[in-house]
């Protein structure tokens, strides 16, 4: 219970008034010494108990009446009475990550979380303020609103193809209610399935006087799950036009020992199928295709979590590029011949030429010889010289070709190793075993371009690094059109173990393929990842058919809707990419509540899985139902009872004083003794022998 005007409780001090009056009303009458007083004393003893009880009853009624009036004036209310609450600022953190798409019974987990959010908003007052923070799409704005507008946003929320970071969402919610409460009581509502992966890293610091955090989670154990974790095309090598390839499908999950069927669809039509254990890898055949973008997906039979049973991909099938080498090089010539025999490239200007020099798309220039003569629109691959004495001449040729980089001697000696690449494919992982004995330092010799996206200079232009952090392969755009790729080591056995390793052919294929491509392929993107659009792009067509206008060279944030996205120039497709959920969302392990409470040390956290318990937690600063009206009615009833009791007492006293013997007479005094009224009559009766 609480009071809206607690200072008015001081009026209860008036209860001392009837107490004082009761104590001071006790009067001591004159003492009469007369034998006949024994009759009066006997009557007094008979009525004393009744008079005392009536006086105490009147005292209690008057005191209770004053206390009830004081409490009614203070406006008491019941906090748990289901009534109102103080104006409150609430940040609702709604977990809409992929894991909340899990079907439990007949409902998704997200539907249960939305029910709790809507119950919260149904009990809102007109002065409350709300923010909706969708944990899986933190790039969306969280604007303040009333209960109605926030409820509409809750109903519109759908499962996102993304992971949630509840630590970041909690910090964001605290900042919102701290800055926007404006005198309201503040609290944070977190509605989540408590997926363990949703709490990465250290939790946010609570700060000074953090708002209470109320967490609701469904009370259901997650079932076993199988998911497609990754899709790899051709072992990391994109297929060429007319070339068959393989697709490796990695299946993960907790359905250990189970076997699943994996199906492959290309352009919306089923193309192949295979089986694999869980976990395991299924190898499916990718048929030969013509040049262009080939969209597709691989899928499993649907289970309780359907969002990870399908994974999209885009294959950029390209025609074999025409490659020309300005100087003959051992190992490089042999590797190029093997790639030409495999249909990966076409050679021009050599003894094995199968294309004319005029068709050349890629020029390999050892020591930058001939780089300045390469026509615009083509790609230049620059290999460093074998001797450091040639560096001045090489740097001069680079400057004439408009390449804003230069070679310098390395500051360290000894062997170098390639740095591990996080999330790298099989080729990049194989390069970690190579040993680099000779390499030069790549230094920028000009300003970084302001356009060009990933191909532009800057941190994103570095393709490979050594473990000491120095760049080994860089890429950029030429001012007149085209592209350049610079390597820090020559392809010789004196410089590295690459020429005699199994990574030589895949690396050279990657250099002449994806790295040298005029428009680098972006086959995969994560939800929320900003992508640089090709210079010709003017729109992006989403999987649902909606077109988002874009500008060439601008960044486009990948939505949280899984599927194939086509980059358009008018109605022509100039690029395509797939958006898929992160594989970590398939791990449905839950974090223990005690562990979460311990991690959020300093926060005022309350966790429940009971819908009724949730309603008792939220809006912690309750006003409840005011009860001053019943108190005033009860005080009026006490006043009526007190008036009736007092009137009855006065009536009884009147009857006792004026009965059958008539009105009382004053006592007579004889010989110094007072004679009470009626005493002479009694004496006369006794004189005449009357008892």
């Amino acid at each position: 219970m609480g009071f809206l005007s607690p200072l008015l409780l001081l009026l209860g001090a008036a209860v001392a008034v009837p107490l004082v009056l009761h104590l001071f009303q006790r009067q001591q009458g004159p003492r009469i010494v007369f034998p006949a007083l024994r009759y009066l004393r006997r009557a007094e003893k008979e009525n004393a108990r009744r008079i005392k009880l009536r006086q105490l009853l009147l005292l209690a009624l008057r005191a209770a009446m004053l206390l009830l009036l004081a409490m009614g004036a203070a406006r008491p209310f019941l906090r748990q009475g289901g009534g109102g609450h103080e104006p409150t600022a609430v940040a609702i953190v709604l977990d809409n990550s992929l894991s909340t798409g899990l079907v439990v019974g007949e409902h998704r987990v997200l539907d249960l979380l939305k029910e709790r959010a809507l119950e919260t908003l149904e009990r809102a007052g007109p002065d409350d303020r709300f923010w909706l923070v969708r944990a899986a799409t933190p790039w969306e704005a969280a604007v303040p609103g009333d209960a109605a507008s926030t409820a509409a946003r809750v109903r519109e929320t759908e499962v996102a193809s993304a992971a949630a970071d509840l630590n970041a969402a909690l910090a964001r919610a605290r900042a919102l209610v701290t800055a926007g409460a404006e005198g309201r009581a503040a609290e944070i509502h977190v509605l989540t399935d408590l997926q363990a992966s949703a709490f990465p890293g250290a939790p946010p610091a609570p700060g000074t006087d953090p708002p209470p955090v109320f967490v609701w989670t469904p009370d259901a154990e997650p079932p076993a799950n199988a998911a497609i974790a990754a899709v790899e095309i051709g072992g990391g090598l994109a297929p060429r036009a007319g070339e068959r390839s393989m697709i490796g499908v990695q299946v993960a999950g907790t359905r250990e020992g189970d076997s699943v069927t994996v199906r492959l669809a290309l352009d919306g039509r089923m193309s192949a199928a295979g089986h694999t254990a869980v976990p395991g890898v299924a190898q499916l055949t990718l048929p030969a295709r013509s040049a262009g973008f080939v969209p597709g997906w691989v899928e499993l039979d649907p289970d309780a979590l359907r969002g990870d049973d399908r994974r999209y991909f885009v294959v950029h099938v390209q025609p074999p590029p025409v490659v020309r080498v300005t100087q003959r090089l051992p190992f490089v010539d042999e590797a190029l011949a093997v790639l030409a025999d495999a249909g990966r490239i076409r050679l021009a200007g050599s003894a094995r030429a199968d294309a004319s020099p005029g068709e050349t798309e890629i020029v390999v220039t050892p020591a930058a010889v001939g780089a300045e003569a390469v026509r615009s629109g083509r790609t230049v691959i620059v290999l460093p010289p074998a001797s450091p004495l040639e560096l001045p001449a090489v740097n001069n040729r680079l400057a004439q070709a408009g390449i804003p980089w230069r070679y310098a001697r390395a500051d360290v000696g000894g062997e170098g190793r390639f740095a591990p690449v996080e999330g790298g494919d099989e080729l990049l992982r194989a390069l970690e075993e190579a040993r680099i004995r000779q390499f030069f330092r790549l230094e920028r010799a000009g300003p970084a371009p302001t356009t060009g996206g990933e191909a532009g200079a800057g941190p994103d232009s570095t393709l490979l690094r050594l473990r000491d952090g120095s760049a080994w392969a860089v890429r950029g755009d030429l001012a007149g059109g085209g592209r350049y790729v610079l390597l820090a080591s020559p392809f010789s056995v004196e410089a590295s173990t690459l020429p005699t390793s199994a990574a030589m052919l895949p690396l050279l294929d990657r250099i002449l393929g994806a790295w040298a491509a005029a428009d680098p392929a972006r086959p995969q993107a994560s939800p929320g990842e900003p992508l640089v659009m090709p210079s010709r792009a003017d729109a992006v067509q989403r999987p649902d058919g909606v077109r988002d206008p874009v500008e060439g060279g601008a960044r486009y944030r990948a939505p949280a809707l899984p599927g194939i996205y086509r980059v358009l120039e008018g109605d022509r497709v100039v690029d395509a990419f797939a958006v898929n959920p992160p594989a970590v969302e398939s791990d449905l392990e839950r974090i223990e509540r005690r562990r979460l409470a311990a991690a959020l040390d300093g926060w005022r956290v309350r966790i429940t899985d009971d819908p009724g318990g949730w309603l008792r937690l939220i809006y912690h600063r309750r006003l409840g139902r005011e009860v001053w009206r019943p108190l005033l009615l009860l005080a009026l009833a006490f006043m009526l009872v007190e008036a009736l009791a007092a009137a009855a007492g006065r009536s009884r006293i009147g009857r006792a004083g004026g009965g059958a013997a008539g009105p009382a007479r004053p006592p007579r005094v004889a010989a110094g003794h007072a004679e009470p009224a009626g005493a002479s009559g009694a004496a006369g009766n006794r004189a005449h022998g009357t008892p």
Side-chain angles (χ1 to χ4, degrees), residues 332-394:
V332 175
D333 290 340
E334 287 80 356
L336 292 177
V338 173
L339 292 176
D341 290 339
R344 302 291 298 174
I345 64 171
R346 292 187 297 163
L347 292 174
S350 67
R352 297 180 53 85
D354 54 6
S356 64
E359 301 177 16
T360 301
E361 301 174 60
I362 301 173
V363 179
V364 181
T365 62
V369 174
E372 68 280 3
V374 176
R375 291 187 298 177
S376 62
R378 298 180 179 178
T379 300
V380 180
I381 310 296
V382 180
L383 304 180
S387 172
L389 300 178
E390 302 181 49
L391 291 184
V394 173

Side-chain angles (χ1 to χ4, degrees), residues 405 444 454-458 460-463 473-477 483-486 513-517 520-522:
W405 290 83
R444 175 166 295 283
E454 180 182 351
D460 292 340
S461 68
T462 300
L463 303 171
V474 297
R475 175 180 59 190
D477 290 335
R483 170 159 297 190
Y484 61 84
V485 177
L486 273 64
W515 293 358
R522 300 177 182 275

Side-chain angles (χ1 to χ4, degrees), residues 483-621:
R483 170 159 297 190
Y484 61 84
V485 177
L486 273 64
L487 306 181
S489 300
F491 284 127
S492 64
V493 293
E494 294 81 12
S496 69
T497 61
L498 285 174
T500 58
S501 69
M504 176 65 177
L505 281 175
L507 176 59
L508 194 59
D509 185 88
R510 180 69 60 85
I511 294 173
L512 300 175
W515 293 358
D519 293 315
R522 300 177 182 275
Q524 298 286 337
S526 300
E529 178 183 355
L531 303 175
V532 178
M533 294 291 98
S535 58
R536 299 170 292 171
D538 55 30
V540 174
Q541 182 176 338
R542 297 157 54 111
D544 54 8
V546 176
R547 288 195 177 191
D548 296 330
V550 297
E551 295 182 0
R555 293 184 178 270
Y556 174 75
R557 188 182 297 276
L561 176 67
I564 305 298
Y565 291 75
R566 293 171 173 82
V567 183
L568 306 176
E569 179 189 10
D571 292 330
R572 188 171 70 91
V573 178
V574 297
D575 199 357
F577 59 91
V579 173
N580 289 295
V584 70
E585 279 298 295
S586 300
D587 185 1
L588 301 179
E589 180 185 0
R590 304 290 189 253
I591 188 173
E592 295 182 1
R593 300 182 188 181
R594 290 180 298 177
R595 178 181 165 195
L596 176 62
L600 295 176
D601 186 27
W603 293 83
R604 294 181 288 167
V605 181
R606 299 283 299 276
I607 306 175
T608 183
D609 54 22
D610 178 26
W614 173 253
L615 297 179
R616 290 189 293 271
L617 283 179
I618 60 175
Y619 300 123
H620 67 292
R621 296 176 69 170

Side-chain angles (χ1 to χ4, degrees), residues 78-106:
L78 300 176
R79 295 186 182 274
Q80 301 297 331
H85 54 270
E86 293 185 16
T88 307
V90 182
I92 301 176
V93 178
L94 182 59
D95 186 355
N96 63 326
S97 60
L98 180 71
S99 63
T100 62
L102 179 69
V103 177
V104 179
E106 299 180 354

